[in-house]
Structures are given as C-alpha cells and as structure tokens.
Amino acid sequence: MSWYSDPDGWPDFAARPMEWVRLVVADALEQEFIRPAGVCPLVPDADQKPEPGPLDDLPLLPEDRRFAHARTLGRQNRAALLDGYRRAWLDAADREPVPHRKDNVGRRAANTWLLNETDNREADHG
C-alpha cells in the first residue's frame, strides 16, 4: 500500500468523502502504517484551568499580548521579563494622576521597558 506514503496521491485522498477517509485511516492504524496520535498538548482539558500568569489582571490589548509574547518567546529569563513588564506597567499607572490615562501610561511604560530589556540581547535567548 504505497499510496499511504505517496504525496502524489494525497490530493485524491483529500477529495474523498470523510467516511472513506475514516475507513482508510482506521485501516492504516490497524496495519501500523501510521501511529495513533496522542492528546494534543495545545488544547487543555476542559476541567484543567491554566495557571495564572503575571499579566492576567492587566488591561492588555491583543497587541500588547502579542508584543510581550514575541519579545519573550524562547528566552531563558522569560518569567523575569514578564514580571518586569508587570512592574513597569503598574508603577507607571500608579504615578499617573489622571484616571483615564492610567492604562495608556502603563502600557507605554511596560512596552518601552520590555523593548529596551530585550533589544539586542541575544545572549538571553536559548
């Protein structure tokens, strides 16, 4: 059954009805052409709550989350960077006397702090 491993046949395979695909996959599993997949580690169990993170209670915008994630991804000191980001945000927001400006002042301070801490510091990667 070389068609399991022949990429030229995959478009035909994908065009088949789903029931046929299920039968073929079951056959491939039975004949041990493929191994069963384990539980996807990226999808948490419904009963399992994710551990709280240092940024959870900050009023982050989606852009802030993406920025913090991108700047800290793969760094050995990621936890310390996220804690510093949080401190920078809260300190700046606490110093701002105008209530409706607190979030933006905190956001700017935290993002600037993280940018400065991670800019050209490839030694922390790894």
Side-chain angles (χ1 to χ4, degrees):
M1 298 216 128
S2 64
W3 59 273
Y4 281 119
S5 59
D6 181 10
D8 293 334
W10 293 350
D12 290 337
F13 184 81
R16 298 285 187 140
M18 187 52 72
E19 186 56 34
W20 185 86
V21 172
R22 284 189 187 105
L23 290 171
V24 169
V25 170
D27 180 58
L29 286 167
E30 185 177 317
Q31 295 186 44
E32 298 181 355
F33 285 111
I34 59 175
R35 286 180 277 149
V39 175
C40 178
L42 301 177
V43 180
D45 293 337
D47 297 339
Q48 192 178 29
K49 300 273 190 245
E51 298 230 1
L55 309 183
D56 286 355
D57 63 339
L58 295 178
L60 298 176
L61 297 174
E63 298 84 38
D64 298 324
R65 288 192 188 285
R66 284 192 297 270
F67 177 75
H69 178 74
R71 295 302 280 190
T72 61
L73 184 65
R75 292 183 181 264
Q76 293 175 346
N77 62 341
R78 184 172 195 271
L81 288 169
L82 293 176
D83 285 339
Y85 184 92
R86 175 187 177 72
R87 278 192 311 278
W89 183 301
L90 294 175
D91 290 348
D94 284 346
R95 287 191 307 272
E96 175 55 50
V98 181
H100 69 271
R101 292 185 181 170
K102 287 184 176 286
D103 287 351
N104 282 339
V105 168
R107 175 174 293 110
R108 179 180 170 94
N111 288 337
T112 300
W113 179 88
L114 185 58
L115 183 65
N116 289 334
E117 286 297 307
T118 58
D119 201 30
N120 297 322
R121 293 194 183 189
E122 295 302 315
D124 289 338
H125 257 292

